[in-house]
Amino acid sequence: MTDPRGSTAPAALVCDGLAYAFGEIKAVDDLELSVRAGEVFGLLGPNGAGKTTAIRCITTLLPVPAGMVRVFGHDAAKERMAVRRLLGYVPQQLSADAGLTGRENVELFARVFDVTRRERAARVARVLEAVGLTPAADRLAKTYSGGMIRRLELAQALVSAPRLLMLDEPTIGLDPIARTSVWEHINAVRAATGMTVLVTTHSMDEADQYCDRVALMHRGRIHALGTPAQLRSELADRRREEGEQDPRPTLEDVFRDVAGSGLDEQGGDFRDVRSTRRTASRVG
């Protein structure tokens, strides 16, 4: 979805030279990024590319200097609370409490995000309905399937009525049916509210199917940006110039072209692998 020509409305998200380092390691290196209001934007890249660090900077979980991140025109350094009120966030790690019911989990997030007591019950009921969890709302979360857990976490993020929803690997560890269900609910809420969605995923099929535009991030920077069709077309043109007989690439081919296919190109560390495997095993 594109902004109307000549629109003066602020972009949903602008990163202008965003940088963040852990000691001498540059996790995000002069990142330039603009996400249009209302679109589903995919941030793709290998482990260690800097995607999660960038999201933590955008969500104000990591501090950045003024001017590097703006959410609907609000500076993430100067207006942290204003930015947080505009965001919903579903992290890679599980955020639902197994000892609470689905309704209680969402009510907890409603209190955290200062949803007024007068509106709270109706808002909680509405988002549980939106993600298809009303029948299971009063069951303990530990009885939920992996797909239900991810939909519960989506409800937690939606209860504050965010204008920008941040999803960090939202379908990790889920089977194809559960992944489709999660995306159907995301798109239903987006269609009803006009919400902007920023998602990271390692599923190229998922990005190709659901994202309006994608950016391929590697070693802290954006190396390719466009619609999935545009990126596939650009790689196909290069393949034709090189004389390939079947130049039709997939988005996964584009990913490999940008990031490399060898394991040595993959970043991350022991904690990244342990965290991802733990999350996948718990929601699977």
Side-chain angles (χ1 to χ4, degrees):
M1 298 176 64
T2 58
D3 293 329
R5 292 187 181 276
S7 172
T8 58
L13 169 67
V14 175
C15 296
D16 186 7
L18 176 60
Y20 198 90
F22 296 97
E24 297 182 357
I25 300 174
K26 289 184 178 180
V28 181
D29 186 12
D30 196 27
L31 181 68
E32 300 287 338
L33 185 65
S34 179
V35 177
R36 300 165 183 157
E39 75 177 332
V40 177
F41 189 95
L43 188 58
L44 315 179
N47 291 330
K51 305 183 302 296
T52 296
T53 300
I55 282 183
R56 289 174 178 167
C57 291
I58 294 164
T59 56
T60 76
L61 294 176
L62 292 175
V64 295
M68 283 190 176
V69 176
R70 290 187 176 274
V71 178
F72 288 101
H74 294 277
D75 191 303
K78 297 179 180 179
E79 305 171 85
R80 292 178 64 192
M81 292 309 300
V83 167
R84 289 180 178 181
R85 291 189 182 101
L86 295 169
L87 298 177
Y89 178 38
V90 178
Q92 285 186 36
Q93 292 76 19
L94 293 178
S95 57
D97 189 327
L100 300 177
T101 67
R103 191 183 309 278
E104 289 168 342
N105 269 286
V106 180
E107 286 173 345
L108 177 61
F109 273 69
R111 291 196 296 271
V112 168
F113 283 97
D114 292 327
V115 176
T116 64
R117 183 174 298 180
R118 183 180 59 186
E119 297 180 339
R120 194 175 299 157
R123 186 86 68 86
V124 169
R126 189 158 58 245
V127 297
L128 285 168
E129 177 67 24
V131 300
L133 285 179
T134 299
D138 297 310
R139 282 169 41 193
L140 291 177
K142 67 182 179 182
T143 69
Y144 285 13
S145 67
M148 292 171 71
I149 286 289
R150 236 24 187 165
R151 285 189 279 135
L152 175 60
E153 293 179 315
L154 180 58
Q156 292 172 167
L158 292 173
V159 75
S160 63
R163 293 178 65 188
L164 174 59
L165 178 63
M166 314 280 290
L167 305 169
D168 196 0
E169 296 284 349
T171 59
I172 187 171
L174 300 185
D175 62 58
I177 294 174
R179 284 202 303 269
T180 299
S181 176
V182 168
W183 273 106
E184 285 176 347
H185 288 96
I186 291 169
N187 283 328
V189 173
R190 177 194 174 212
T193 65
M195 176 180 66
T196 306
V197 178
L198 173 63
V199 58
T200 74
T201 179
H202 283 128
S203 171
M204 297 301 105
D205 288 342
E206 193 171 81
D208 208 346
Q209 181 175 358
Y210 297 111
C211 294
D212 298 310
R213 291 190 302 149
V214 298
L216 292 170
M217 188 174 180
H218 188 40
R219 296 181 177 174
R221 294 190 174 193
I222 300 299
H223 289 260
L225 172 66
T227 68
Q230 286 172 339
L231 296 181
R232 285 188 274 105
S233 178
E234 290 170 3
L235 181 56
D237 289 343
R238 291 203 303 273
R239 286 182 168 185
R240 289 190 189 94
E241 291 172 359
E242 294 168 359
E244 289 196 25
Q245 296 299 313
D246 185 8
R248 293 171 296 180
T250 65
L251 193 58
E252 186 170 337
D253 293 325
V254 177
F255 180 95
R256 289 197 186 103
D257 185 65
V258 169
S261 59
L263 286 175
D264 288 344
E265 294 291 323
Q266 302 293 321
D269 57 18
F270 180 83
R271 288 181 300 174
D272 294 328
V273 175
R274 180 178 60 187
S275 173
T276 300
R277 289 184 177 176
R278 181 185 296 128
T279 300
S281 67
R282 291 178 67 184
V283 304

